[in-house]
Amino acid sequence: MTTTANTTAATNAKNPWAALAALCVGFFLIMMDTTIVTVAIPGIMSGLDADLNQITWVHSVYLLTYAVPLLVAGRLGDRFGRKPVFLTGMAVFTAASLWCGLSTSADMLMAARAVQGVGAALMAPQTMAFVTTLFPPNRRGAALGIWGAVAGLATTVGPLLGGFLVGSAGWQWIFLVNVPIGLAGLAMTARLVPGGQPRNHRRFDLLGTLLSGLGLFALVFGLQNGQHYDWGTVAGPVTVPMVIAAGVALLVVFVLWQRFNPREPLMPLSLFRRRHFSTAAFAAAAIGFAVTGLYLPLTLYMQAVMELSPQQAGLLMVPVAVSSGLAGPLAGTLSDRVPGKWVVLAGFLVFAAGLGMIVLAMRPEGGVWQLAGALFFAGIGTGAAFAPMANVATGSLPVTEIGAGAGMYNSIRQVGCVIGAAAVGVLMQAQLSSRLATETLAENATAAERHAFHEGLAQASGTTLLLPVVVLLVGALACLLMPSGKSAHANEPAAKPLDAPNSDLQKVG
């Protein structure tokens, strides 16, 4: 350990907010890229002479390679240090973004997006774990509030920025825009984020890594692409239900292995004995389901019924970004002062009410301002729920389990997102087939035919959105089961604040 390293760590320790800003740059990028591609699908299909199946994979493969390695990525941060793992992930993500922008075929773009997802997976658990070590317990909620606001802002900025870039510069720029931002994030992280994270040189659970990776891959693949295969044959005798069943079976074996592993498991089951963590993780899956499930019916309604352009539809998402960005830090700060469960519960109920308002606004003659108001209200709910929920989940974890906890929390939330997208897609398809005689509207349709088509599509979209509302109400029940104390910090070993004497974070590994 050198004097220079000690001085740098001590300097960085005095300004954890600057370190958080650097981490949020990477987190913003990976969350934005979960939604930015949707508005660019027509442009990519035309530019690369690709079919819809190939472009669907451009979106799906990112979600797949992002979700599957999250568990392992959390443990890698525990073992090798969070800063080097985060920097590696950001470098991979930035390089893959350049590769995406320079792709000349659909296959090349799919490969680049797969690598991009791996980079995202390496970053995501480290950002959440870093907050718990950068800030003492009494300031952690406010920090996680900003972290949660960044997540909400990024997912709603994606369609807005994507629509603008596709319309003005071409689809390539939805990826190329990541490059300068990623380089800036790398420089900020190297300079502002302390590097002396504790490293635990313990045995790595190779069998657990294999079982969890294959299980999550099969489960996420089946759910994400089941609709594409019409829930039937994938290849030869292999069907989508078989793939999903294999994924569930592998994950059951993984859990049993974690229970009986005599050495250090990849996922300590003791995490789920902490009621703060287990209830917050379930709630995270519920809100992930609802947020992802919102986009398909909402986008279809805005572009097919309201007949908005991609740019206009993106602009209509601004109220969600604004309200979520404002509510997140406020809710996070509030969760430092009152029991976090009540803040999370309020967020769930407001989000559910906001979705209900969106359902009521989904009429053939629905106005822009009514929908914008409903979206603004829903954004308050997502911002209010996301940040304190993460604070509740990680508040009771000792420093040696923060990486595993963050990886597990993010994995559960991401699987919730995938299930939400799949379930809403299936329900939307069923609603459309039952309400519409045809799937398209002829250009020479009469006014009555056009109104009937719009009415059926609006009703299908609104009915489908009732499913996320129900899931949110179930998530609200999980919030009620959260412990009532402000946190479990008083009873659990927690990370030392960065300015504490002899802090582990000031040791250079």
Side-chain angles (χ1 to χ4, degrees):
M1 181 167 63
T2 66
T3 303
T4 302
N6 280 332
T7 302
T8 301
T11 300
N12 289 336
K14 296 177 182 178
N15 193 0
W17 296 104
L20 178 63
L23 295 167
C24 282
V25 171
F27 191 52
F28 180 89
L29 286 178
I30 62 179
M31 294 303 293
M32 181 178 70
D33 269 53
T34 62
T35 58
I36 197 171
V37 172
T38 54
V39 297
I41 286 176
I44 297 175
M45 289 178 64
S46 174
L48 296 181
D49 193 22
D51 58 34
L52 183 59
N53 176 42
Q54 290 175 308
I55 302 307
T56 299
W57 269 102
V58 169
H59 178 62
S60 297
V61 75
Y62 176 80
L63 295 177
L64 194 63
T65 57
Y66 175 25
V68 170
L70 280 169
L71 267 182
V72 179
R75 270 304 190 199
L76 288 175
D78 278 343
R79 181 169 184 179
F80 299 109
R82 294 178 197 119
K83 182 174 180 177
V85 174
F86 181 86
L87 285 171
T88 300
M90 181 169 279
V92 170
F93 184 91
T94 304
S97 295
L98 178 61
W99 184 10
C100 288
L102 298 178
S103 295
T104 55
S105 69
D107 290 340
M108 185 184 298
L109 182 57
M110 281 187 279
R113 283 283 280 174
V115 176
Q116 197 182 37
V118 173
L122 290 174
M123 282 192 284
Q126 319 313 326
T127 59
M128 184 176 170
F130 251 121
V131 173
T132 62
T133 51
L134 285 168
F135 295 88
N138 63 341
R139 290 193 295 165
R140 200 169 291 160
L144 283 169
I146 293 176
W147 179 80
V150 166
L153 183 66
T155 53
T156 50
V157 163
L160 172 62
L161 181 61
F164 172 77
L165 290 173
V166 171
S168 60
W171 66 265
Q172 294 89 342
W173 282 94
I174 67 172
F175 303 113
L176 295 177
V177 71
N178 294 338
V179 177
I181 300 174
L183 292 175
L186 282 168
M188 291 172 65
T189 303
R191 175 69 184 88
L192 300 173
V193 177
Q197 293 297 97
R199 302 182 184 185
N200 303 302
H201 296 285
R202 298 171 293 198
R203 294 181 182 273
F204 199 72
D205 186 2
L206 294 178
L207 179 58
T209 300
L210 183 64
L211 289 171
S212 66
L214 290 175
L216 279 174
F217 178 86
L219 179 63
V220 174
F221 175 91
L223 293 173
Q224 186 68 36
N225 298 284
Q227 189 173 349
H228 166 68
Y229 292 107
D230 198 23
W231 302 97
T233 301
V234 176
V238 180
T239 64
V240 170
M242 289 171 60
V243 173
I244 295 175
V248 171
L250 286 169
L251 289 177
V252 169
V253 175
F254 165 70
V255 171
L256 292 174
W257 169 243
Q258 299 306 284
R259 170 67 178 82
F260 296 107
N261 183 2
R263 298 171 182 172
E264 184 178 358
L266 178 66
M267 183 189 72
L269 296 183
S270 59
L271 290 174
F272 294 99
R273 289 198 291 268
R274 303 174 188 273
R275 197 146 53 98
H276 283 86
F277 179 84
S278 57
T279 52
F282 182 86
I287 203 166
F289 183 109
V291 169
T292 309
L294 168 65
Y295 281 101
L296 176 62
L298 180 61
T299 301
L300 191 59
Y301 171 77
M302 289 191 297
Q303 296 192 28
V305 178
M306 300 181 73
E307 298 183 344
L308 301 178
S309 68
Q311 291 89 339
Q312 291 171 326
L315 283 172
L316 195 51
M317 296 299 295
V318 169
V320 182
V322 171
S323 59
S324 178
L326 292 174
L330 293 175
T333 301
L334 185 61
S335 71
D336 284 333
R337 301 175 182 176
V338 301
K341 65 178 290 184
W342 302 117
V343 185
V344 179
L345 176 62
F348 267 72
L349 294 177
V350 171
F351 188 19
L355 289 186
M357 294 168 61
I358 293 172
V359 171
L360 293 177
M362 284 181 164
R363 306 187 311 274
E365 67 281 2
V368 170
W369 291 109
Q370 183 182 2
L371 184 59
L375 288 168
F376 184 88
F377 196 77
I380 294 174
T382 58
F386 202 94
M389 187 166 54
N391 196 14
V392 170
T394 59
S396 65
L397 301 184
V399 68
T400 54
E401 293 183 0
I402 287 174
M408 192 64 196
Y409 177 88
N410 280 282
S411 292
I412 292 172
R413 178 176 57 81
Q414 192 64 20
V415 170
C417 291
V418 173
I419 294 174
V424 167
V426 171
L427 182 57
M428 188 74 195
Q429 191 175 45
Q431 289 292 317
L432 289 175
S433 62
S434 65
R435 295 179 185 273
L436 299 179
T438 59
E439 297 183 359
T440 60
L441 185 66
E443 293 183 3
N444 59 348
T446 66
E449 290 172 336
R450 183 174 296 275
H451 182 271
F453 179 86
H454 285 172
E455 184 175 20
L457 194 54
Q459 289 178 353
S461 299
T463 303
T464 300
L465 273 185
L466 293 176
L467 177 60
V469 172
V470 172
V471 172
L472 283 174
L473 294 178
V474 174
L477 294 178
C479 297
L480 289 173
L481 296 176
M482 292 176 181
S484 297
K486 290 185 180 180
S487 71
H489 300 303
N491 300 320
E492 301 291 345
K496 300 175 183 178
L498 284 175
D499 52 0
N502 302 319
S503 171
D504 288 337
L505 297 179
Q506 296 181 15
K507 298 176 184 178
V508 176

